[in-house]
Amino acid sequence: MPREKKEMGCFVVRLRYPQTGQVKTRLGSAMGMENSRLFSIAMFADLVDKFSKRKDIPTIVVGSRDASADDYREILEKETVETSRIEFHIDRHEGHAASVRDVWEILLPRFQCVVQCASDIPYYTPSQYLSLLQLLSRVDFVFHPTMDGGMCPYGSKKPVDIWSGIESQKSDALTKILNRLRNQKIRWRCANMLFDIDTANDLRILYQWMQCLHKNDPSYCPRTVKLYETIFPPE
């Protein structure tokens, strides 16, 4: 029988189930754990909403094992995000490294390449994703470096093990990953640098940037902005 043709690529959004005190704890240390939980939800919804509107981009949410697919669907629907075209998967393994590797192994048989993104880059756009796919057409692995020394999002054509033994929050994470890719002779390219929202200062920078954008700008994050102004009312 002829081999079934793979789809070009998919965009995966990863989120640990948002329970108070379990997500965005560095953010929570500055503004309270319940507020950091609410920001985790708002950023997740802003990011997924951008992609849910695109029929040409398969979008998949990967959640943690302490919740169900219906729990994640409910979060998005409460935030008025259309979920009819979104797939939901729950981690089969504990630990970030094993989970990332598992996503490659599950999805690469269906797609030529898979891009994985944390939910704390809510301004990431479908256009940026498509540009990353163009880079990936020439190599095996692509990524956006982040200002804290890591990488996100990142995409691959192969089920590479990039995180085992590497702490993603350490400032030398990217250096260690690149050394691993070189040792495995995996061809890679990097895109432009991004920043993820881990601290109160990150969130403040994001909010200030959003004030410079029109609300119709593809990067705009309406839920995150609204929540920020609720917790920190403008003077």
Side-chain angles (χ1 to χ4, degrees):
M1 294 180 60
R3 185 178 298 178
E4 185 176 346
K5 186 177 180 181
K6 292 184 181 182
E7 294 185 68
M8 179 59 194
C10 69
F11 184 72
V12 173
V13 180
R14 311 179 57 87
L15 174 70
R16 182 174 183 179
Y17 190 70
Q19 300 184 68
T20 302
Q22 300 296 315
V23 291
K24 290 295 159 197
T25 53
R26 283 190 287 170
L27 197 58
S29 65
M31 62 182 60
M33 293 300 174
E34 176 60 13
N35 285 337
S36 68
R37 183 186 75 86
L38 295 175
F39 273 114
S40 179
I41 291 171
M43 291 189 291
F44 171 58
D46 278 333
L47 177 59
V48 175
D49 194 30
K50 291 174 172 58
F51 286 82
S52 69
K53 295 178 169 67
R54 295 288 298 258
K55 295 181 181 180
D56 59 327
I57 302 177
T59 302
I60 299 169
V61 168
V62 173
S64 54
R65 299 175 68 192
D66 53 351
S68 68
D70 286 342
D71 291 328
Y72 282 89
R73 185 178 291 105
E74 182 179 3
I75 288 174
L76 291 173
E77 289 177 349
K78 283 183 177 179
E79 295 292 327
T80 66
V81 177
E82 173 58 49
T83 62
S84 61
R85 290 193 296 270
I86 299 172
E87 286 186 36
F88 295 86
H89 291 256
I90 298 300
D91 278 334
R92 300 189 301 183
H93 302 283
E94 292 287 351
H96 181 65
S99 174
V100 169
R101 188 172 59 250
D102 198 43
V103 168
W104 304 135
E105 293 172 352
I106 291 172
L107 295 178
L108 282 172
R110 288 174 52 195
F111 299 95
Q112 295 178 39
C113 51
V114 175
V115 172
Q116 301 194 48
C117 185
S119 59
D120 58 1
I121 305 183
Y123 56 86
Y124 198 70
T125 67
S127 294
Q128 289 174 294
Y129 160 80
L130 293 173
S131 295
L132 203 63
L133 285 193
Q134 287 186 336
L135 271 183
L136 194 49
S137 68
R138 300 190 289 273
V139 293
D140 302 314
F141 187 87
V142 294
F143 62 92
H144 289 273
T146 55
M147 295 182 69
D148 59 2
M151 62 166 64
C152 194
Y154 41 84
S156 184
K157 296 176 182 174
K158 301 178 179 181
V160 293
D161 180 10
I162 56 173
W163 288 111
S164 291
I166 297 175
E167 296 184 50
S168 61
Q169 300 293 339
K170 296 287 188 179
S171 60
D172 62 351
L174 179 57
T175 300
K176 289 182 177 179
I177 290 172
L178 294 183
N179 286 337
R180 178 170 294 173
L181 294 175
R182 292 186 186 103
N183 290 338
Q184 295 178 10
K185 301 189 184 313
I186 293 173
R187 300 172 302 153
W188 57 267
R189 292 280 298 275
C190 74
N192 61 297
M193 182 172 283
L194 303 176
F195 71 102
D196 46 8
I197 312 302
D198 286 327
T199 67
N201 190 54
D202 296 334
L203 186 59
R204 186 162 44 250
I205 291 170
L206 176 68
Y207 176 74
Q208 291 171 346
W209 175 32
M210 293 296 109
Q211 300 313 292
C212 303
L213 300 180
H214 191 277
K215 291 183 179 180
N216 290 330
D217 190 282
S219 292
Y220 192 73
C221 303
R223 297 165 185 82
T224 306
V225 168
K226 182 178 180 180
L227 180 60
Y228 190 96
E229 292 178 345
T230 300
I231 296 173
F232 306 105
E235 297 181 357

